[in-house]
Amino acid sequence: GQQVMQIPQYQHVQEGEDFTTYCNSSTTLSNIQWYKQRPGGHPVFLIQLVKSGEVKKQKRLTFQFGEAKKNSSLHITATQTTDVGTYFCAAWGYGGATNKLIFGTGTLLAVQP
Amino acid sequence: DGGITQSPKYLFRKEGQNVTLSCEQNLNHDAMYWYRQDPGQGLRLIYYSQIVNDFQKGDIAEGYSVSREKKESFPLTVTSAQKNPTAFYLCASSGQGVQPQHFGDGTRLSIL
């Protein structure tokens, strides 16, 4: 099935270090959403980006949508143990699938205290 | 509180048996979705429904069936034709258009 690529697949950081995950598409995206899934839990919506070059912040989290709308990133400043989980990007209308939300492959973040 | 309720939380299936996973939402959302998640993997779409009495196959529909007789309910049946059903099943719903998806707590299905 269709997927949006995310890198890295896994990252282990020391508490206090920064973390970034990248979402890449070969085609232009109309929008991008980000979700967080805690271990054993379900995905929870974080944010949606729509405009080219858009940057949004939520406390220590910074979300960016690329100028060409083909990539996006999530940056966490000074990670905490509560940031542990898998971060997914997702796009509506990817590859013409207008009625489906296509999820990225996810990045698992481990934070060592 | 508004939300999505999935039941049961854990389910065991015997060989040759069909099992049904329940998903109910009171968010008044038109669209509902079923995903499968294997350990360490992303979400794969099984079926989705944009409106009552209509649904479409996702990327991995074989061995599964759904119904959408009511706006609030979107049950998923894992049939005996699904030879590898062990996974975490997530139900989600969303409003019309480009909206966030709201997920239930999931059902973990295992083979006895």
Side-chain angles (χ1 to χ4, degrees), chain B residues 69-99:
Chain B
E69 297 177 2
K70 298 187 300 181
K71 186 175 185 177
E72 305 79 26
S73 178
F74 192 40
L76 173 74
T77 297
V78 183
T79 74
S80 56
Q82 173 50 247
K83 298 306 180 186
N84 184 23
T86 297
F88 186 41
Y89 290 86
L90 288 158
C91 178
S93 72
S94 68
Q96 290 185 357
V98 181
Q99 297 294 327

Side-chain angles (χ1 to χ4, degrees), chain B residues 10-112:
Chain B
Y10 299 95
L11 186 59
F12 297 91
R13 194 192 88 171
K14 295 180 181 178
E15 194 171 337
Q17 184 183 41
N18 293 352
V19 292
T20 298
L21 284 59
S22 170
C23 178
E24 303 277 334
Q25 55 102 356
N26 60 5
L27 299 168
N28 199 32
H29 285 164
D30 288 311
M32 297 187 74
Y33 309 81
W34 275 105
Y35 295 91
R36 169 177 172 146
Q37 187 174 36
D38 293 283
Q41 302 296 314
L43 282 72
R44 292 188 291 169
L45 183 64
I46 305 173
Y47 269 98
Y48 63 106
S49 169
Q50 299 289 310
I51 196 169
V52 174
N53 292 322
D54 188 37
F55 49 83
Q56 288 80 39
K57 292 182 179 180
D59 299 318
I60 56 165
E62 187 173 350
Y64 301 96
S65 66
V66 293
S67 63
R68 186 86 187 276
E69 297 177 2
K70 298 187 300 181
K71 186 175 185 177
E72 305 79 26
S73 178
F74 192 40
L76 173 74
T77 297
V78 183
T79 74
S80 56
Q82 173 50 247
K83 298 306 180 186
N84 184 23
T86 297
F88 186 41
Y89 290 86
L90 288 158
C91 178
S93 72
S94 68
Q96 290 185 357
V98 181
Q99 297 294 327
Q101 288 195 353
H102 299 258
F103 286 83
D105 289 338
T107 294
R108 293 190 186 278
L109 176 62
S110 301
I111 296 181
L112 277 178

Side-chain angles (χ1 to χ4, degrees), chain A residues 43 47 58 62 78 81 103 108-109:
Chain A
I47 208 159
Q58 289 180 349
T62 301
T81 54
F103 281 83
L108 174 59
L109 171 64

Side-chain angles (χ1 to χ4, degrees), chain A residues 23-99:
Chain A
C23 186
N24 298 298
S25 167
S26 58
T27 60
T28 302
L29 303 171
S30 59
N31 59 84
I32 196 89
Q33 296 180 350
W34 285 91
Y35 293 78
K36 176 184 178 180
Q37 185 177 22
R38 293 181 185 273
H42 60 270
V44 175
F45 173 76
L46 295 176
I47 208 159
Q48 177 170 284
L49 306 171
V50 178
K51 300 176 183 177
S52 169
E54 188 170 12
V55 177
K56 288 188 177 181
K57 293 189 176 183
Q58 289 180 349
K59 298 182 180 179
R60 294 179 294 104
L61 277 61
T62 301
F63 304 85
Q64 188 166 2
F65 203 5
E67 292 290 342
K69 299 182 77 173
K70 289 186 175 182
N71 56 73
S72 181
S73 64
L74 159 58
H75 179 82
I76 301 178
T77 303
T79 55
Q80 300 175 358
T81 54
T82 53
D83 295 325
V84 164
T86 301
Y87 292 85
F88 293 99
C89 63
W92 285 101
Y94 180 74
T98 55
N99 293 331

